[in-house]
Amino acid sequence: MSGKKFANALKQFDRDQFYGPVEAVGLVKTMASAKFDEGIDVSIRLGVDPRKADQMVRGTVALPAGTGKDVRVAVFATGEAADEARAAGADIVGADDLAAAVESGKMDFDLVIATPDMMPVVGRLGRVLGPRGLMPNPKTGTVTPNPAKAVEEIKGGKIEFRVDKHSNVHFVIGKAGFSAGQLGENLQAALDEINRAKPGSSKGRYIQKGSVSTTFGPGIPLDVSVL
């Protein structure tokens, strides 16, 4: 978004006011001005200390209206599990051959799934996949004996969220072309799951602040008292 467009977007809401989820997603739709269907992003600040293992917030949620994004999925599997993953829509399926491709720098995918028996192979790719947030993890359902189901869920709108070192969680709730109702439904589903993931050791206000924005637009402050 150009400086002029960004400035115009800022004029469409009061930066000192906090907006409920329904009003916020309605406003953010009016700010999408790119020539493509912009993503709608959410940032949430949590009252946790991610340096402590018992306060690491991480999970997944299936967005009711999907993400509007074509997620390219790579699956490490062999035999019947590999065949089923392909049938479910996996973009890339392999084993040692896929590992060799990754090691050579070929990573034309957004997410990685692996069957448990393939983790020794995938584990050797930790230095490549880890920094990119692509390492499969049982806690997020990306290490599973049923990769076909995982592929279907991800293609259907399942997203992962994880608190970063600054105690923030970032996730997408769809596209500007979605209806306000769809965006609101997706946002609420994500917030419900984040609330369920609250660590027992977290004290005080859990969701401290948040904002909704288009890919290139300004953040609309969320009223955390109703989240």
Side-chain angles (χ1 to χ4, degrees):
M1 183 178 286
S2 68
K4 184 177 181 180
K5 288 182 178 179
F6 192 90
N8 287 335
L10 285 173
K11 295 176 182 178
Q12 296 182 45
F13 67 99
D14 184 347
R15 283 182 286 174
D16 295 322
Q17 179 180 334
F18 295 96
Y19 297 85
V22 174
E23 190 176 9
V25 295
L27 273 172
V28 79
K29 274 179 57 65
T30 68
M31 297 181 189
S33 59
K35 294 181 180 179
F36 61 92
D37 196 6
E38 293 184 65
I40 304 299
D41 305 312
V42 178
S43 294
I44 301 290
R45 170 70 62 83
L46 299 179
V48 298
D49 184 350
R51 295 173 299 179
K52 298 179 179 178
D54 62 350
Q55 292 193 31
M56 174 57 69
V57 177
R58 183 175 188 175
T60 60
V61 58
L63 299 181
T67 63
K69 179 183 178 182
D70 181 20
V71 181
R72 290 185 57 80
V73 180
V75 177
F76 282 88
T78 59
E80 186 176 346
D83 294 337
E84 291 175 348
R86 289 189 187 92
D91 300 279
I92 305 169
V93 180
D96 291 323
D97 56 331
L98 179 52
V102 170
E103 288 179 324
S104 70
K106 296 179 181 179
M107 291 185 288
D108 187 20
F109 48 79
D110 306 301
L111 190 141
V112 178
I113 296 170
T115 53
D117 61 298
M118 289 302 302
M119 284 310 293
V121 174
V122 179
R124 297 198 297 270
L125 305 173
R127 286 182 296 179
V128 180
L129 298 177
R132 294 172 173 79
L134 294 172
M135 195 68 183
N137 189 305
K139 292 182 180 179
T140 59
T142 47
V143 176
T144 171
N146 190 350
K149 181 181 178 182
V151 169
E152 290 173 351
E153 289 177 342
I154 291 161
K155 293 284 187 177
K158 184 178 180 180
I159 63 168
E160 179 181 348
F161 59 85
R162 180 178 184 176
V163 68
D164 64 21
K165 63 182 180 180
H166 301 296
S167 304
N168 297 314
V169 174
H170 306 279
F171 53 93
V172 64
I173 57 170
K175 299 281 190 176
F178 281 25
S179 70
Q182 289 175 315
L183 291 171
E185 191 177 16
N186 280 353
L187 174 56
Q188 194 58 58
L191 290 172
D192 287 346
E193 194 59 40
I194 289 171
N195 273 313
R196 277 193 286 271
K198 179 182 179 180
S201 57
S202 173
K203 306 300 180 184
R205 179 175 287 280
Y206 178 51
I207 296 182
Q208 298 188 338
K209 64 179 181 179
S211 65
V212 183
S213 67
T214 60
T215 302
F216 299 114
I220 299 173
L222 286 169
D223 181 359
V224 298
S225 69
V226 298
L227 301 183

